[in-house]
Amino acid sequence: MTDRGISETNDPRVRVLWEREAATVRLHLVVDPTPAPQVVTTLPLSPRRG
């Protein structure tokens, strides 16, 4: 018989999937991708001509 489960970690992006069969335990780490940082650029103000 196989037992399976999901364990959470201190980091909400990381979960541990585990599977136990007899004396063997397999662990799989699932890491959600970190969103890419958004780069904000500002253009210099163009000089006013008047």
Side-chain angles (χ1 to χ4, degrees):
M1 180 172 187
T2 302
D3 291 329
R4 293 183 178 140
I6 300 173
S7 297
E8 306 236 339
T9 65
N10 290 340
D11 188 335
R13 296 172 297 146
V14 180
R15 293 183 307 278
V16 178
L17 305 179
W18 56 269
E19 184 175 359
R20 180 176 59 200
E21 185 172 357
T24 303
V25 176
R26 288 189 278 282
L27 300 175
H28 306 277
L29 282 179
V30 178
V31 180
D32 293 335
T34 304
Q38 295 189 359
V39 178
V40 177
T41 58
T42 56
L43 300 175
L45 296 174
S46 58
R48 293 186 179 209
R49 297 181 187 189

